[in-house]
Amino acid sequence: MGERMLELQDVRAGYGEQEVLKGVSFFAGRGEFAALIGSNGAGKSTLLRCICGLLPLREGSIRICGRDTGRLSAKERARLVAVVPQSYAVEYAFTVEDVVSMGRYPYHSFGRRETPEDARAVRQAMEATNTLEFRGRLYNELSGGEKQRVILARALAQQPEILLLDEPTSALDLHHQTEVMELITRLNREQNLTVLAVLHDVNMASRYCGRMILLGEGRVAADGSPSEIVTKKNMERLYQMKLLIRENPLYDKPEITPVRVLREEQTDHPLRIHVICGADGAVKLLEELEERGYLLSAGVVNEGSDDCVICRALRIPHVEIPPFTPVTPEAQEENLKLMEDAEVILISDLPFGQNNLANLDGLERVKGRIFFHKNALSSDYTGGRLVERLEELGRKKKVVYFGDHDEFLKKLGAGLEDGGSRRREEPCR
Amino acid sequence: MLILAVPACLLLIWLCTVMGAASVSAGEVNRILLHEIFHFPVDMEGISEGSVAIIRDVRLPRVLLGFLTGAALAVCGACYQGIFKNPMADPYILGISSGAALGAAVGIVLHFSSGAAGLPGTTLLAFAGALLTVLLVYAISRRGKRVPVSSLLLSGIAVNQSLSAFMSLLMLFNQQSMEQIMFWTMGSLNGKGWNQILSILPYVLAGTALLMTSARELDILLLGEETAVQLGVSVERVKKKILIVSSIVTAAVVSATGIIGFVGLLVPHVVRLFTGPKHRFLMPVSLVFGGTFLVLCDTLARSVLTQEIPVGIITAACGGPFFLYLLWKARKGGTA
């Protein structure tokens, strides 16, 4: 990591009575691209305000390139640190070039006005951000993404050692978010710029930043690479909600999928339900059933499928086999064992083929009621053997066909009607 | 276009010197100016002593004082609109005008006639009143080392109102002085001479020069104070400098001429429409336009009616509608 570009030691700061930062310490080396993440009010923006001199420290110290910020003049600091805030409007008719040129202010003094060096820095900054072509246009008339690139150009014109970004993409659409992040990544790589970015999008932080610093309650709660920080434990504590974490196959970085914050209505009959699944189709159903309080089990799932991910995430007992392998008699034996106590067997919307038809073996023996999702018939790759098997099963045991998950959930809620003797135990109204 | 504006302004100023109740011909005016001001050996035959006195001691100083006043107010207005980021800011926004008026009113009521440096006592009291008011507003709005512009604006309004109330009270109990006080508050260049020019000239020259050194900082402040800090501007120091310098310049001007409104508000806005927001251009052009505008208004003030009209009335009467017209045009065009 080498040279310490930014060093925070026990930084405490706040507004009025309220102390927001309660002792933050970390350091960043040259060329690092670190994300600051944390929930609203954790102190991310406050920390940036301290580094760029907008908020005085109560205790502790911040050193930039080895120099204490308390001893730097405003201009000296602006030559070391540049800030890119959220894109904002300017009420006055400045051109793009005017705005970018303002980044040269820290290099000016009373006797020294614009030099060729300034002109070169402004030009380079605009070239690096693809803003040169509209340098004569009014800043106000630009789109959000263009404005943000101009602000980035202004920061580069400062020729800083450290670039601070305060939620630089939150006002932009997906295209421009990606564009701005790619630009910053490129600058980080090509100019070896040290970047510290407040990002509220964890997936974006995980994808672009080599390091993530998680702030919680005014302290550093965790600090490390994306795979160390984006864990179920950290993220659920951060967002106070149910979420899933999986590897994004494209970038090889962990990614979160928010699941739910509000709780579903709870069932007062926690039936045991076994879901026959295994591909990618049962995720939503499994999550919803689990949320409502049913006791679940599942099988036989292929490793790496979405159904497998959610079974692991929700800790649902399940039978797992390697991907693209047939359901062996042993696996099905285990599957049947899980079904033993189930009151409901749900055959989910699952594409059936030669490999997984064995999921239906031995279902005649189980005592639970069998529900079958009709969609499975339209993705039947067994050459008619699925239908034969269902007919055979239907002769020995009743199979209830249903059209969609909501219908199924409603049936469960109604206490399974004919078979639902337990439901009737409720006091009559 | 802007380069052409300077000679045009000079021409207008000259025209205003020629125009007046006592008819002195243009050729005579030129000869008097060359002879009396620039000490050129010009043939003065055929020009009466009276004409020379009118041009040299009355009309020329009046035009020059008008130019200085208008220029100073316009430059201070441009700076205030910059640091307050508020289009309604003008040099009087911190209560300078009512402080000066109260000082002048006290001077008038007490018949405080003994002056100094050739200036009447009311002028000195008005100057003191103006500076004390700004100090008060500044002290009220200070938060530790910082002076937030929002609290400056609010306390400026509050102090303005209370001082105006005091002055009304003073007028109520001294009805014999009421007319004089009223006339003072409406601003006038009538009866002012070289003494006033010499007394405000150093403030205006040094003040505007100092203010113009902050053009770059003022540009950046238009993007907001936080951005300015991040770009390395010592925001509080720049604000203090501009507040102090503008206050002293405005106080000097107001105490010499009374409250001439609208110049400091209107001229920077109009100029901005032509030069854009960059203070490097905005301030010098405001200086020239502000000066010329006030000279024009004053010429109207002394020539439309047989009776002299306070120039403050003319500036407001001309400036208001013109300003509205510009706003209306800007709204149609989509930019302001």
Side-chain angles (χ1 to χ4, degrees):
Chain A
M1 215 182 280
E3 202 179 339
R4 290 191 176 189
M5 300 301 290
L6 178 66
E7 203 172 346
L8 283 84
Q9 223 155 48
D10 196 35
V11 169
R12 287 167 191 271
Y15 310 94
E17 294 282 284
Q18 191 199 358
E19 188 170 61
V20 180
L21 300 178
K22 299 163 184 165
V24 174
S25 306
F26 67 84
F27 64 86
R30 183 182 287 277
E32 260 195 282
F33 188 174
L36 265 182
I37 57 170
S39 54
N40 291 339
K44 298 167 291 179
S45 293
T46 307
L47 190 59
L48 282 204
R49 291 170 64 87
C50 287
I51 300 172
C52 67
L54 285 171
L55 190 69
L57 305 188
R58 293 192 176 158
E59 258 178 72
S61 71
I62 298 178
R63 297 168 76 83
I64 298 170
C65 303
R67 303 175 64 187
D68 195 308
T69 46
R71 299 218 183 90
L72 290 174
S73 74
K75 279 187 182 171
E76 283 173 322
R77 193 180 44 234
R79 289 195 286 256
L80 297 174
V81 182
V83 187
V84 178
Q86 286 181 28
S87 137
Y88 58 85
V90 172
E91 292 139 62
Y92 297 84
F94 285 113
T95 64
V96 166
E97 195 165 14
D98 290 341
V99 173
V100 178
S101 300
M102 287 181 190
R104 295 305 293 168
Y105 176 77
Y107 294 90
H108 294 140
S109 56
F110 187 71
R112 187 187 170 280
R113 295 273 142 165
E114 267 123 75
T115 62
E117 168 67 16
D118 291 330
R120 199 160 49 237
V122 168
R123 200 184 163 81
Q124 278 172 359
M126 289 199 284
E127 273 168 0
T129 50
N130 302 327
T131 50
L132 200 58
E133 62 201 276
F134 48 81
R135 64 179 157 179
R137 278 171 64 194
L138 290 183
Y139 173 83
N140 266 347
E141 292 169 1
L142 303 179
S143 71
E146 289 169 334
K147 277 183 186 162
Q148 198 58 321
R149 267 151 55 202
V150 172
I151 301 288
L152 189 58
R154 190 185 66 198
L156 292 180
Q158 288 175 249
Q159 296 182 320
E161 301 286 344
I162 300 170
L163 195 59
L164 300 180
L165 308 158
D166 192 356
E167 298 191 357
T169 61
S170 55
L172 305 180
D173 64 29
L174 200 55
H175 174 97
H176 292 105
Q177 281 181 11
T178 312
E179 181 183 39
V180 167
M181 290 309 287
E182 281 174 356
L183 257 176
I184 294 165
T185 310
R186 200 203 289 165
L187 293 167
N188 166 251
R189 276 197 207 126
E190 289 175 2
Q191 310 192 2
N192 210 16
L193 208 57
T194 310
V195 184
L196 181 64
V198 168
L199 294 172
H200 60 197
D201 183 338
V202 168
N203 291 341
M204 190 176 271
S206 162
R207 176 173 165 191
Y208 291 103
C209 305
R211 173 180 173 189
M212 293 172 77
I213 299 167
L214 174 60
L215 282 190
E217 289 163 13
R219 290 189 183 83
V220 175
D223 181 354
S225 67
S227 50
E228 288 167 321
I229 300 304
V230 186
T231 61
K232 197 166 158 68
K233 192 175 135 238
N234 278 340
M235 294 300 113
E236 286 196 337
R237 200 172 58 190
L238 169 59
Y239 291 111
Q240 311 276 317
M241 65 180 288
K242 229 156 115 177
L243 37 76
L244 287 178
I245 298 198
R246 50 179 155 180
E247 207 73 7
N248 182 318
L250 217 45
Y251 313 110
D252 202 20
K253 291 282 174 65
E255 194 173 75
I256 62 174
T257 307
V259 179
R260 67 168 74 242
V261 175
L262 299 180
R263 305 213 64 181
E264 273 296 336
E265 196 186 318
Q266 296 289 296
T267 177
D268 31 357
H269 290 289
L271 294 172
R272 289 180 178 279
I273 303 178
H274 182 88
V275 183
I276 292 178
C277 55
D280 300 328
V283 173
K284 186 164 171 274
L285 181 78
L286 283 168
E287 197 280 321
E288 243 173 271
L289 288 174
E290 202 264 355
E291 174 59 28
R292 285 167 194 246
Y294 294 106
L295 303 169
L296 298 181
S297 55
V300 174
V301 297
N302 283 100
E303 228 180 288
S305 66
D306 287 354
D307 291 353
C308 178
V309 171
I310 193 135
C311 284
R312 286 184 187 177
L314 301 178
R315 300 204 174 76
I316 297 171
H318 64 284
V319 185
E320 218 175 283
I321 55 171
F324 306 111
T325 57
V327 174
T328 56
E330 295 78 37
Q332 182 56 13
E333 220 26 71
E334 262 187 80
N335 203 10
L336 285 168
K337 204 174 280 167
L338 283 176
M339 291 182 226
E340 248 171 30
D341 295 329
E343 289 140 296
V344 174
I345 313 293
L346 170 67
I347 302 161
S348 71
D349 178 5
L350 176 72
F352 277 98
Q354 303 294 352
N355 277 353
N356 64 351
L357 193 60
N359 265 313
L360 304 185
D361 287 353
L363 284 191
E364 294 86 345
R365 286 189 265 137
V366 299
K367 61 176 194 283
R369 304 189 33 163
I370 297 175
F371 286 78
F372 184 87
H373 196 300
K374 280 186 240 167
N375 273 10
L377 291 172
S378 56
S379 48
D380 171 12
Y381 304 101
T382 56
R385 284 179 49 205
L386 173 64
V387 182
E388 282 170 25
R389 175 72 189 106
L390 282 172
E391 275 166 8
E392 184 193 337
L393 183 61
R395 279 194 287 275
K396 292 174 185 159
K397 197 161 166 55
K398 189 180 174 196
V399 177
V400 182
Y401 292 82
F402 67 99
D404 67 15
H405 287 153
D406 286 341
E407 195 187 316
F408 171 71
L409 287 170
K410 222 178 280 166
K411 276 189 181 155
L412 278 187
L416 300 176
E417 294 188 359
D418 44 308
S421 54
R422 303 174 50 155
R423 187 76 178 174
R424 307 251 158 75
E425 284 161 20
E426 262 187 5
C428 296
R429 273 171 220 164
Chain B
M1 191 191 84
L2 288 171
I3 296 164
L4 280 179
V6 175
C9 288
L10 285 175
L11 188 70
L12 268 172
I13 292 169
W14 175 80
L15 265 177
C16 293
T17 319
V18 173
M19 281 173 66
S23 63
V24 182
S25 77
E28 282 172 352
V29 168
N30 281 344
R31 272 150 68 199
I32 295 168
L33 287 179
L34 287 174
H35 187 269
E36 296 294 316
I37 308 302
F38 301 105
H39 301 290
F40 268 50
V42 184
D43 181 19
M44 292 293 282
E45 226 182 272
I47 302 174
S48 68
E49 274 299 307
S51 299
V52 173
I54 284 175
I55 299 299
R56 183 189 60 200
D57 300 332
V58 181
R59 227 180 269 165
L60 182 65
R62 185 166 177 163
V63 166
L64 288 180
L65 183 65
F67 187 85
L68 278 182
T69 305
L73 289 176
V75 171
C76 292
C79 289
Y80 272 17
Q81 284 166 12
I83 57 170
F84 288 110
K85 268 190 79 183
N86 186 323
M88 292 317 290
D90 75 351
Y92 303 142
I93 202 157
L94 297 185
I96 291 190
S97 50
S98 42
L102 186 63
V106 168
I108 290 166
V109 167
L110 297 178
H111 302 290
F112 194 77
S113 51
S114 63
L119 297 171
T122 42
T123 300
L124 300 178
L125 275 177
F127 188 62
L131 284 188
L132 285 175
T133 309
V134 181
L135 278 179
L136 178 69
V137 169
Y138 190 83
I140 293 172
S141 21
R142 225 176 84 166
R143 305 269 180 279
K145 280 186 191 163
R146 297 187 56 235
V147 191
V149 288
S150 54
S151 57
L152 266 176
L153 283 174
L154 289 175
S155 39
I157 290 168
V159 169
N160 232 329
Q161 293 296 328
S162 357
L163 292 185
S164 295
F166 271 122
M167 200 182 70
S168 303
L169 204 64
L170 208 61
M171 279 169 30
L172 195 65
F173 288 119
N174 298 277
Q175 298 199 356
Q176 70 284 5
S177 311
M178 206 183 220
E179 199 187 314
Q180 220 186 332
I181 297 176
M182 283 286 287
F183 208 79
W184 193 93
T185 58
M186 286 189 280
S188 173
L189 299 170
N190 190 21
K192 310 286 170 14
W194 288 103
N195 282 339
Q196 272 83 6
I197 293 183
L198 291 178
S199 68
I200 70 167
L201 189 65
Y203 294 111
V204 174
L205 281 185
T208 46
L210 261 176
L211 290 175
M212 284 192 203
T213 60
S214 293
R216 194 178 275 280
E217 286 85 352
L218 281 167
D219 286 352
I220 298 177
L221 276 170
L222 288 182
L223 303 193
E225 287 192 15
E226 296 207 343
T227 303
V229 169
Q230 290 162 355
L231 287 172
V233 178
S234 307
V235 170
E236 293 304 319
R237 201 155 70 201
V238 172
K239 257 169 29 188
K240 252 178 242 174
K241 172 185 159 188
I242 284 165
L243 285 176
I244 291 170
V245 174
S246 310
S247 301
I248 293 176
V249 172
T250 311
V253 167
V254 166
S255 56
T257 62
I259 303 166
I260 299 175
F262 252 96
V263 180
L265 175 68
L266 176 92
V267 172
H269 275 295
V270 175
V271 171
R272 205 176 280 121
L273 291 177
F274 296 104
T275 63
K278 285 211 248 179
H279 287 80
R280 207 184 329 162
F281 307 118
L282 174 63
M283 295 213 287
V285 177
S286 292
L287 183 139
V288 174
F289 273 42
T292 310
F293 175 66
L294 192 55
V295 171
L296 267 179
C297 287
D298 186 51
T299 307
L300 283 178
R302 62 189 160 85
S303 45
V304 270
L305 298 177
T306 44
Q307 194 205 350
E308 166 99 29
I309 308 169
V311 68
I313 293 179
I314 303 282
T315 55
C318 299
F322 183 57
F323 194 34
L324 286 177
Y325 163 73
L326 285 176
L327 280 179
W328 172 73
K329 224 181 104 183
R331 188 176 304 169
K332 274 182 77 180
T335 50

